[in-house]
Amino acid sequence: MTAKDATSIRDALKSAVVQAMKRRDSEALAVYRTALAAIDNAEAVPIGPSNPVGAIELSAVGVGRTEAQRRALTEQDMIDIVSREADERRAAADSMSGLHPAEAQQLRREAGVLQALTDDVRARAEE
């Protein structure tokens, strides 16, 4: 499966990671991995009353006692996360374009890579 064939953004990102590795494209590889990490971080269990943090001596004891379900994200949630990653890169590029034009251009390329991937996934989902 290639990124163009995937209908899930997570599958498209994983496929894109493999393709970037084959092409030895370290820039794209870093962008795709960062987007996957952003999705994984969004699925993390929030700390709150149901998942308290406290003294170790008060923690649950036994196998599986400390396991918690990760947050379930919809496909649209994941697409939004990747789109925000692209938006953040564009905003950073805009803020640094005067002082660091090369770095700003790099950030714009990275945003374009992510935008192209999300556009492909959206188009596949509409078919």
Side-chain angles (χ1 to χ4, degrees):
M1 174 188 301
T2 65
K4 298 234 183 241
D5 296 332
T7 54
S8 162
I9 191 76
R10 186 187 302 267
D11 291 341
L13 283 165
K14 287 179 180 179
S15 178
V17 164
V18 171
Q19 295 303 315
M21 289 171 69
K22 287 180 181 178
R23 292 189 317 267
R24 297 185 186 274
D25 185 349
S26 60
E27 290 177 6
L29 182 61
V31 172
Y32 295 137
R33 284 182 172 166
T34 301
L36 278 169
I39 291 171
D40 289 341
N41 288 342
E43 291 175 330
V45 177
I47 296 173
S50 61
N51 299 310
V53 175
I56 194 159
E57 64 270 11
L58 299 176
S59 62
V61 178
V63 175
R65 295 286 308 232
T66 58
E67 296 297 315
Q69 282 285 35
R70 291 182 66 81
R71 255 185 234 170
L73 299 176
T74 65
E75 184 64 24
Q76 188 58 50
D77 291 338
M78 290 186 275
I79 290 172
D80 291 344
I81 289 167
V82 176
S83 293
R84 274 195 307 274
E85 287 287 312
D87 292 342
E88 288 172 8
R89 282 173 169 76
R90 281 190 207 95
D94 291 344
S95 69
M96 68 185 335
S97 62
L99 295 174
H100 303 285
E103 288 85 353
Q105 187 60 29
Q106 171 67 30
L107 288 170
R108 286 188 183 94
R109 280 194 307 269
E110 291 175 4
V113 166
L114 291 175
Q115 191 65 51
L117 189 79
T118 57
D119 290 348
D120 286 346
V121 169
R122 283 185 178 127
R124 292 264 176 222
E126 291 174 1
E127 290 179 353

